[in-house]
Amino acid sequence: MTAELDPIIHPTHRLRICAMLVAGSTLELSVIKEHLDLSPSALSKQVAALVDAGYVKQERLGSDTRRVWLSMTREGRKAYQGHVAALREIVNATTVPSPGQHN
């Protein structure tokens, strides 16, 4: 079976957000912002695309409603794993001719 690139996850910042969430389970939005060095509006746009696709859950926990927490949904985790598998297939299928070898 051939894995397919996911058009929602494919943009670099979204891919990096997903990678962080898969590795960290639940992360505060400010941690992701600092790591990616994005403006608040740019980060909001990328997170909104992932939330709208059902790949990321966004919630405010506890009494401090200013703090926003993100986590991958089951669907998001599956989509991310498929996307990474597709990238691996592309990389593994790519061959570079040896020096002096021509088509």
Side-chain angles (χ1 to χ4, degrees), residues 20-66:
M20 288 180 70
L21 292 174
V22 166
S25 184
T26 300
L27 294 173
E28 190 174 355
L29 186 61
S30 64
V31 171
I32 295 172
K33 180 187 172 298
E34 288 174 25
H35 185 74
L36 296 182
D37 195 29
L38 286 174
S39 70
S41 62
L43 179 59
S44 177
K45 181 179 175 183
Q46 300 306 317
V47 169
L50 293 167
V51 170
D52 290 348
Y55 291 174
V56 170
K57 182 169 80 171
Q58 179 176 309
E59 55 192 338
R60 297 175 191 276
L61 303 173
S63 60
D64 187 355
T65 58
R66 295 171 297 171

Side-chain angles (χ1 to χ4, degrees), residues 3-4 6 8-9 14-15 17-27 50-51 53-57 70-86 88:
E4 293 186 25
D6 187 297
I8 302 296
I9 295 174
R14 291 185 207 156
L15 179 59
I17 291 167
C18 290
M20 288 180 70
L21 292 174
V22 166
S25 184
T26 300
L27 294 173
L50 293 167
V51 170
Y55 291 174
V56 170
K57 182 169 80 171
L70 302 177
S71 59
M72 292 292 284
T73 63
R74 182 175 290 137
E75 181 182 353
R77 190 172 299 274
K78 183 178 176 183
Y80 173 77
Q81 290 168 344
H83 188 79
V84 170
R88 284 191 178 120

